[in-house]
Amino acid sequence: MTMLTLEGLASAEGRFTASTVCIGAFDGVHLGHQALINATVRDARAAGRSAVVLTFDRRPAEVVGVAEVPGYLTTPEQRARAFAACGADAMVVARFDEELRATSPERFAEAVLAGTLRAGAVVVGQGFRYGRRQAGDINSLRTAGRRLGYDVVAVRPVLYEGVKVSSTRIRDLILGGAVSEAARLLGRPFALAGQVVAGQRIGRRLGYPTANLQPSYRQVTPADGVYACWAVWGGTRLPAACGVGVRPTVGSGPRSIEAHVIGFDGDLYGCAMELEFVARLRGEQRFDSPDALARQIGHDVQAAIEALGAGMPAVPTTESS
């Protein structure tokens, strides 16, 4: 069954007769988020209701004027795919603006949860806060629920090595290059989405053409270095060795994300692509010559194949971006 996607609370009016709702920004849709959504789906199935994810089009920090807002872990499309994979029936994307920010907890519960979404149950994390100045908590949500006719289910946080799984923790891991550990907390590899654009064709001259990825959303970028990735586009998924950084051997320039797609022979310009970061192979280095760099790239390609378990030879491509 295809998940229903509704943009804006107004679009959800009259769409549900009864629902179980979970609420959150859900950036990353990591293991902690998945626990909330899974609990929502279980409750909805048992009660014969729709399993609804209520999320937002931006972080509250972007409305309150925080000077530096960190990058996202997922694009809106990636979030939607992750919600659907958990079995959600519908995703409602509320616009987080000044009006919603100023809504009192009581009004939010009455108008949005009981009114628009027809909630029979609301699933939240134990530290859930909502409403103007985050004045609402689980206790106030339960008090409102007794009056408005919905139950509240509080889900315990998911721990990894004794520490709560959170978007902030995962973001820090990615920024530090620890993509394999980030994947354990996400439940899947971190995927950077973008479009393949023209580059300087340095990789082609070295015998390893690359797809130059221009991110299409405000996602975090892993620390400079070389990574084993899966390159995914148009139904194709192939192993890749990806370099992130300023390419110091060939003359430092703007930071770039360049993936050599192993075994691929074709044109990727203009393609929408995602790079799934599986393992960091090494940090970015400066080599004495282009030949030395080319030899190292050959080692990187073999290391990427081993890290990915791709089971295929490192065949340099003849056509790429």
Side-chain angles (χ1 to χ4, degrees):
M1 184 179 67
T2 302
M3 183 183 72
L4 177 67
T5 298
L6 299 170
E7 298 286 344
L9 288 170
S11 67
E13 291 286 351
R15 301 302 293 264
F16 306 105
T17 56
S19 69
T20 298
V21 182
C22 62
I23 311 169
F26 297 120
D27 184 28
V29 197
H30 54 60
L31 295 179
H33 296 150
Q34 291 170 39
L36 286 172
I37 300 165
N38 291 339
T40 301
V41 172
R42 287 194 301 270
D43 182 90
R45 298 291 180 268
R49 297 189 282 249
S50 298
V52 177
V53 177
L54 174 60
T55 188
F56 308 98
D57 68 335
R58 71 198 77 187
R59 293 198 193 99
E62 296 179 55
V63 176
V64 301
V66 172
E68 186 174 349
V69 179
Y72 285 84
L73 296 174
T74 44
T75 69
E77 294 77 16
Q78 289 171 343
R79 277 198 307 166
R81 290 202 307 264
F83 294 154
C86 290
D89 298 311
M91 172 182 74
V92 178
V93 184
R95 179 172 175 79
F96 195 95
D97 53 16
E98 288 292 351
E99 181 180 355
L100 186 60
R101 179 189 174 202
T103 301
S104 69
E106 296 79 9
R107 177 62 181 163
F108 181 83
E110 182 173 348
V112 177
L113 298 179
T116 299
L117 301 179
R118 298 290 190 268
V122 179
V123 179
V124 294
Q126 289 186 332
F128 178 70
R129 310 287 302 192
Y130 70 106
R132 184 173 58 237
R133 298 178 181 173
Q134 295 194 341
D137 58 13
I138 289 180
N139 290 330
S140 67
L141 192 65
R142 284 191 171 122
T143 298
R146 286 191 288 270
R147 175 171 61 88
L148 297 170
Y150 63 75
D151 297 322
V152 175
V153 179
V155 177
R156 292 183 179 181
V158 173
L159 305 181
Y160 178 76
E161 295 183 345
V163 181
K164 179 184 175 181
V165 174
S166 70
S167 298
T168 298
R169 185 181 178 190
I170 295 167
R171 190 177 298 112
D172 289 344
L173 287 170
I174 293 169
L175 290 171
V179 295
S180 57
E181 187 171 354
R184 287 192 281 273
L185 275 61
L186 284 166
R188 64 189 184 283
F190 166 71
L192 186 62
Q195 185 177 42
V196 178
V197 298
Q200 297 179 354
R201 296 179 176 262
I202 293 170
R204 182 182 296 277
R205 293 199 297 270
L206 296 173
Y208 296 93
T210 58
N212 185 15
L213 189 76
Q214 180 176 294
S216 57
Y217 197 68
R218 296 166 292 165
Q219 287 183 273
V220 294
T221 303
D224 291 355
V226 178
Y227 297 84
C229 295
W230 290 102
V232 183
W233 76 97
T236 299
R237 188 171 186 263
L238 288 176
C242 177
V244 178
V246 297
R247 301 168 298 184
T249 304
V250 294
S252 296
R255 197 163 185 248
S256 65
I257 304 155
E258 300 187 29
H260 172 67
V261 183
I262 301 166
F264 177 74
D265 183 2
D267 184 5
L268 291 171
Y269 288 132
C271 287
M273 177 181 283
E274 291 187 10
L275 292 174
E276 299 177 353
F277 286 78
V278 175
R280 191 170 194 245
L281 302 177
R282 61 176 176 87
E284 186 173 50
Q285 299 171 246
R286 185 184 186 283
F287 294 90
D288 293 335
S289 67
D291 286 343
L293 173 58
R295 287 193 295 273
Q296 180 59 53
I297 293 174
H299 296 314
D300 294 336
V301 168
Q302 294 291 356
I305 289 172
E306 293 174 9
L308 297 168
M312 60 184 295
V315 179
T317 62
T318 57
E319 297 275 341
S320 188
S321 305

